[in-house]
Amino acid sequence: MLHRRTVLAGCALAVTALATVATPAMAEPNNSPASSAVKPPPAMVEAMQRDLGLTPAQVDARLANEAKAMATEAKVRATLGDAYAGSWVSGTTSESFIVATSDASKAGAILASGAQPKIVGRNLATLDSAEAALDRAAAGAPASTSVWYVDVVSNSVVVLSSNTAEAEAFVAASGADKSAVRVERSNEQPQTFYNVRGGDAYYIGSSARCSIGFSVRRGSTPGFVSAGHCATAGSSLSGYNRVSMGSFQGYSFPGNDYSWAAVNSNWTVTPYVNNYSGGNVTVKGSSAAPVGSSICRSGSTTGWHCGTVGQTNASVRYSQGTVSGLTRTNVCAEPGDSGGSFISGSQAQGMTSGGSGNCSSGGTTYFQPVNEALSAYGLTLVTG
């Protein structure tokens, strides 16, 4: 949680727009296989049909086979000991579980377990040892070489690189058993992904900090909604961890107080709001809560606070101009919480606009209803 509470210039009225000057980012902060008799959730079946090109019957057969393979693998691995060289499933029938071994005399034991044997030249320990040598030399890997892994199917360690000569030199310098390593040309360059989550901090340029409201999409473009007073169209954004995030695509302030930003491939939109207790609240929709309803707010300065909805259609005169159509609450907030999520139960309500008081003595906070922002920009709320 970030605690510097400097109000942006021009906002020091009794009712304050809750953005703050940025400070350095702080990091936000049973094993047994499932029984094949248990029917998988419908969403899993649908996704497997879609992504693996399977029929419902094939999904059932595949999951049953994989459950059986999980149970068999542990037993046969113990039986083979040092001769174990990995295992894999191929296809959807019970005959498609394959266990590799470096000792041909173990083939009978593999068959007895219900799996199919494959005799290979290296046991798994040998492959793991070669991969570990590459790990120890990772600091010296060239930029062209970003992935290596144990591939039990080919009984080798595979190194992916856009420059095979550089990769081969890296392997030679690592001390790994070169006979166990296979270099493949690839342009794969993995990068980490970060989640867009309501209530988390983001930074505008190099100075101001606000909070994410909710994850959204505009067509295939992912992004988030926040407060309009945080935005300048085109401003570069970075996340809570200062990783490049994207840019504002539109905003309205004063008059309204909403904005939306598109995020880049570093970030993945999620249907979550940070509850600042180590968990998330899942957003399931955006039905407006009636006056008197309980409501909670998430923001990057003060975290998670709750209260009730007081009044709707409030107009507030900020120093920059009047904003109309806000909802008034008795939830506290402070500078830097701007744009953060207001949620009632599982329903998104709006983005923090401004307020008076603080979270030590209590206060009043106003939010911009989220549905108006969604409608204005043709956005779809990300729900779970």
Side-chain angles (χ1 to χ4, degrees):
M1 188 184 304
L2 302 172
H3 293 288
R4 186 172 176 183
R5 302 169 184 175
T6 305
V7 181
L8 288 178
C11 298
L13 296 180
V15 178
T16 311
L18 299 175
T20 187
V21 174
T23 55
M26 296 174 63
E28 296 297 334
N30 147 357
N31 297 328
S32 60
S35 168
S36 59
V38 177
K39 297 296 288 184
M44 176 184 287
V45 175
E46 291 170 7
M48 291 179 70
Q49 288 179 251
R50 180 193 66 214
D51 298 334
L52 298 177
L54 303 175
T55 66
Q58 288 172 327
V59 170
D60 287 345
R62 184 175 187 124
L63 291 176
N65 182 45
E66 289 167 359
K68 181 180 177 182
M70 283 184 244
T72 302
E73 193 275 342
K75 296 175 182 176
V76 74
R77 184 170 187 161
T79 299
L80 297 182
D82 290 342
Y84 178 75
S87 60
W88 59 94
V89 172
S90 176
T92 59
T93 67
S94 59
E95 291 77 30
S96 63
F97 181 49
I98 300 165
V99 175
T101 179
S102 57
D103 183 350
S105 70
K106 302 291 187 179
I110 294 171
L111 285 168
S113 73
Q116 294 296 308
K118 181 174 182 179
I119 313 305
V120 295
R122 305 175 190 88
N123 64 10
L124 185 61
T126 298
L127 299 178
D128 287 343
S129 176
E131 200 271 347
L134 297 176
D135 287 346
R136 290 191 293 271
S144 61
T145 304
S146 57
V147 177
W148 51 88
Y149 52 81
V150 171
D151 180 25
V152 294
V153 177
S154 66
N155 193 231
S156 65
V157 174
V158 176
V159 176
L160 302 183
S161 178
S162 60
N163 186 316
T164 55
E166 289 182 350
E168 287 165 357
F170 163 62
V171 173
S174 73
D177 178 0
K178 289 190 290 184
S179 68
V181 178
R182 200 160 48 85
V183 175
E184 291 185 2
R185 179 175 290 278
S186 171
N187 291 322
E188 187 176 333
Q189 287 287 334
Q191 59 184 3
T192 53
F193 296 105
Y194 305 99
N195 287 339
V196 176
R197 178 176 61 169
D200 283 354
Y202 69 94
Y203 294 90
I204 305 97
S206 59
S207 56
R209 169 172 58 84
C210 282
S211 300
I212 292 169
F214 301 96
S215 292
V216 297
R217 288 190 178 89
R218 185 176 185 178
S220 60
T221 302
F224 64 88
V225 289
S226 186
H229 70 263
C230 293
T232 302
S235 295
S236 61
L237 306 177
S238 57
Y240 67 90
N241 50 9
R242 296 289 191 170
V243 170
S244 172
M245 193 173 203
S247 62
F248 288 115
Q249 303 298 296
Y251 73 99
S252 179
F253 179 80
N256 302 295
D257 195 5
Y258 52 67
S259 62
W260 91 278
V263 298
N264 58 35
S265 59
N266 294 328
W267 296 84
T268 301
V269 291
T270 71
Y272 304 130
V273 171
N274 188 349
N275 69 7
Y276 282 90
S277 295
N280 299 310
V281 176
T282 301
V283 177
K284 295 186 177 296
S286 57
S287 298
V291 168
S293 299
S294 59
I295 194 167
C296 296
R297 179 197 55 73
S298 180
S300 61
T301 296
T302 60
W304 182 261
H305 289 274
C306 299
T308 57
V309 176
Q311 296 80 28
T312 60
N313 200 22
S315 294
V316 176
R317 292 181 60 205
Y318 295 119
S319 62
Q320 302 96 325
T322 300
V323 177
S324 301
L326 299 179
T327 298
R328 188 171 187 264
T329 75
N330 62 0
V331 185
C332 71
E334 297 182 13
D337 289 328
S338 275
S341 326
F342 266 89
I343 188 167
S344 183
S346 63
Q347 300 297 305
Q349 299 299 307
M351 296 79 73
T352 302
S353 175
S356 56
N358 55 51
C359 287
S360 297
S361 59
T364 300
T365 303
Y366 298 81
F367 69 80
Q368 164 71 58
V370 66
N371 286 332
E372 185 178 354
L374 299 179
S375 177
Y377 296 117
L379 305 171
T380 301
L381 192 67
V382 175
T383 58

